[in-house]
Amino acid sequence: MCIGCHGGDGNSTNKTIPSLAGQPRQLIATQLFQFRQGNRKDPQMSPIAANLSNADMNDLAAYFATLKATPPSHRTSADNAKLGAELAKKYQCTQCHGPSLLGQQHIPRLAGQQPDYLRTQLKGFKANTRADMDGNMTSAAQALSDNDIDVLVDYLAGLTAE
Ligand code: HEC
Ligand code: HEC
């Protein structure tokens, strides 16, 4: 049932729905738990997570983590390719999300993620409406202007995840 929304191979083709392929295993399991507990809320995802056991969440995380992320269809503008890389360093996105923005442990892969999804999450962290386990991401988003967010989204969505 996950694949109807997240794509048959875990690579979403809907700009508002995240890809799961190649996400760190711990990230997937943790986010499913957050949805089930009601800390993170979404009208489509919350009812699905409500019915998952701990074992289901671990199995699903292990499965999607092993699928390969396909090259993104998004094309970053030349200006934002340069500017986005500068912002990702300046705001230390790469410190936590990794030098190639592939994520690690409970921290998500951003490279090649769907653009509208990235934008919604960044605006949500800034507005403190997207749940955040340790507060790190909410803090990281405070300095971002709307224009910074647009540049970062255009940059991240076009990065190949490998
Ligand atoms: C009806 C569509 C739909 C179905 C079915 C669905 N999801 Fe989702 N899922 C979403 C949407 C939409 C989001 C983004 C929610 C948001 O904006 O916070 C999401 C988010 C997620 C996230 C968070 C990813 C991240 O990067 O933080 C995970 C993990 C996830 N889904 C796993 C699953 C799994 C596993 C299944 C099957 C058991 C599933 N989803 C079924 C629509 C769906
Ligand atoms: C101090 C560490 C840290 C820094 C710095 C940081 N992040 Fe994050 N980020 C996280 C963590 C941890 C999460 C998962 C939050 C959670 O759900 O609890 C996250 C989640 C996200 C998400 C949600 C993606 C998804 O799949 O749900 C986006 C988008 C994001 N970060 C973008 C950025 C950008 C862009 C920057 C730089 C401006 C940045 N992050 C800087 C730690 C960090």
Side-chain angles (χ1 to χ4, degrees):
M1 61 172 168
C2 318
I3 63 179
C5 293
H6 291 282
D9 55 359
N11 288 284
S12 165
T13 52
N14 179 326
K15 290 184 170 54
T16 66
I17 299 184
S19 289
L20 303 176
Q23 280 288 1
R25 181 177 175 161
Q26 195 185 332
L27 176 273
I28 300 173
T30 308
Q31 295 302 329
L32 288 172
F33 187 76
Q34 292 288 95
F35 281 118
R36 192 182 69 187
Q37 296 308 104
N39 296 333
R40 187 174 171 188
K41 295 190 179 73
D42 177 74
Q44 296 184 84
M45 205 39 226
S46 300
I48 305 248
N51 295 317
L52 300 175
S53 67
N54 288 355
D56 290 340
M57 295 195 292
N58 286 327
D59 290 349
L60 287 161
Y63 172 68
F64 282 108
T66 58
L67 298 180
K68 202 171 156 29
T70 53
S73 55
H74 182 88
R75 292 288 165 265
T76 306
S77 75
D79 285 353
N80 287 345
K82 189 168 173 287
L83 202 52
E86 287 166 13
L87 289 182
K89 271 220 181 72
K90 175 181 167 193
Y91 291 120
Q92 302 183 322
C93 316
T94 44
Q95 295 263 340
C96 294
H97 291 272
S100 305
L101 298 155
L102 298 178
Q104 50 177 332
Q105 299 178 335
H106 68 296
I107 305 182
R109 160 167 79 80
L110 304 177
Q113 188 52 282
Q114 288 292 347
D116 293 354
Y117 174 74
L118 289 173
R119 184 176 290 102
T120 310
Q121 302 310 311
L122 285 170
K123 293 204 161 162
F125 285 121
K126 193 177 170 192
N128 214 348
T129 52
R130 154 81 204 256
D132 181 14
M133 283 175 297
D134 53 15
N136 278 336
M137 194 50 226
T138 301
S139 309
Q142 295 313 307
L144 304 176
S145 68
D146 283 354
N147 186 55
D148 289 340
I149 291 178
D150 286 341
V151 171
L152 283 163
V153 166
D154 188 32
Y155 167 65
L156 296 167
L159 290 176
T160 302
E162 46 179 32

